[in-house]
Amino acid sequence: MVDVSSSELTAGQLLGAPEMAELGGINASTLRAYSRGDNEVPLPQATVGGRDQWARAVAEDWVEARRRSFEGIGAAMAAEDRDSLSPGAAEGRDRFATDFQRTLFDRPDVRKRWVLRQRNRESVAEVAGELAWTVAASLDRIIPTEHLGRVVRAAVMHDWQESLDIYAGAKGTHGEGAKQWHRHLNLTVPVAKMLDWYIRHFPANAYSSIGDIQREAHERWGMAKTDALRALRSALSLDGELTEQQRETYFALLEPHEDTD
């Protein structure tokens, strides 16, 4: 709170709505709308002639908070783009704009469909399908799958370690009893959903990552590969979007021919 005798409340240090809005990079009407809504606009420190006034220090703190907010960070990262997109989204837009241009114009068999008499629902649906295929087939150009796989593996191992630590602490399990810890492995919902997403979108990459998870679990805890798979499959059956048949097919491919652990 700013005391009435504070220097911050002198006329030269008070800002009206227009100045406050300009400092925040918005217009006065937006500021007034923010004040009536749920946005974190600070209460005015004074009212002069029926108009709200803010101390400059308070206004500057508000501007800094806006700059560091979810919206503020997004705006800062998109400031240099013509469509106000994040750098990654802008790269994707430019990449697919080039691909779509090639499909729509550089291919004579597609370009001729823009002749009015050939521009019907079926023709447009066919072109739309080809463009959609371009995006679907190019996901590995959008998602850094190698790095994503390592992040998923680290997240799974972290969740499992926490599960084992909790179980060991609760049961006082040590030594030989540790071999039974795999029965109590759990994944948090976000990690299970991320692994499920990874499998659905990049099954071959996920296959490799799951192999790494199996090897690391064996090195850390002496866990059999089949036990690691059982824990993963159980988590995905609870929180994933793979159908039962898809899980059956996928995990059958992951089952080792001969478990030598």
Side-chain angles (χ1 to χ4, degrees):
M1 298 294 294
V2 181
D3 188 79
V4 292
S5 61
S6 298
S7 59
E8 288 88 346
L9 290 180
T10 59
Q13 290 298 312
L14 287 174
L15 303 177
E19 295 82 8
M20 175 80 162
E22 182 179 3
L23 197 62
I26 58 178
N27 57 47
S29 61
T30 301
L31 177 68
R32 286 190 286 271
Y34 281 1
S35 299
R36 293 191 295 268
D38 297 328
N39 291 274
E40 296 295 329
V41 177
L43 293 173
Q45 281 67 63
T47 302
V48 179
R51 298 179 182 277
D52 292 336
Q53 303 280 301
W54 288 266
R56 179 173 292 276
V58 171
E60 290 174 348
D61 285 346
W62 171 68
V63 170
E64 180 64 14
R66 274 178 52 82
R67 190 175 71 87
R68 295 175 181 271
S69 69
F70 183 89
E71 293 80 6
I73 291 172
M77 291 299 292
E80 297 182 4
D81 182 66
R82 65 180 182 274
D83 295 325
S84 298
L85 294 175
S86 66
E91 290 171 7
R93 176 204 57 208
D94 295 344
R95 182 182 304 125
F96 288 114
T98 299
D99 290 345
F100 295 165
Q101 169 72 14
R102 290 171 180 162
T103 299
L104 293 171
F105 190 81
D106 295 348
R107 286 177 47 184
D109 61 315
V110 175
R111 187 171 67 245
K112 70 181 182 181
R113 299 177 196 174
W114 303 119
V115 177
L116 189 59
R117 57 189 168 80
Q118 296 194 43
R119 197 182 308 164
N120 52 45
R121 179 179 294 274
E122 291 74 19
S123 179
V124 172
E126 187 175 345
V127 174
E130 291 186 26
L131 297 179
W133 178 89
T134 298
V135 175
S138 303
L139 285 179
D140 59 347
R141 297 165 61 189
I142 305 173
I143 308 295
T145 53
E146 178 184 355
H147 304 310
L148 176 60
R150 295 188 179 192
V151 170
V152 169
R153 182 185 68 187
V156 168
M157 299 305 295
H158 176 271
D159 277 7
W160 280 1
Q161 183 67 66
E162 282 202 337
S163 296
L164 297 178
D165 289 345
I166 291 171
Y167 179 69
K171 298 295 184 180
T173 306
H174 300 285
E176 291 299 315
K179 293 181 180 179
Q180 302 302 316
W181 287 1
H182 66 265
R183 301 180 187 276
H184 303 275
L185 295 174
N186 295 298
L187 293 182
T188 56
V189 174
V191 173
K193 286 187 175 296
M194 189 71 253
L195 177 59
D196 178 85
W197 185 95
Y198 192 32
I199 292 172
R200 286 187 291 113
H201 290 77
F202 302 103
N205 301 80
Y207 185 99
S208 176
S209 296
I210 291 174
D212 291 338
I213 290 170
Q214 290 174 294
R215 283 188 289 275
E216 187 169 346
H218 178 64
E219 291 171 1
R220 283 198 196 185
W221 306 302
M223 185 186 301
K225 293 179 179 179
T226 52
D227 292 329
L229 286 181
R230 190 178 300 118
L232 294 175
R233 183 171 177 173
S234 176
L236 297 190
S237 69
L238 292 173
D239 299 309
E241 295 182 26
L242 287 164
T243 66
E244 183 176 354
Q245 182 58 55
Q246 288 169 338
R247 283 197 308 275
E248 288 277 352
T249 300
Y250 192 73
F251 279 89
L253 295 171
L254 284 160
E255 288 286 349
H257 294 297
E258 182 179 341
D259 198 335
T260 58
D261 297 337

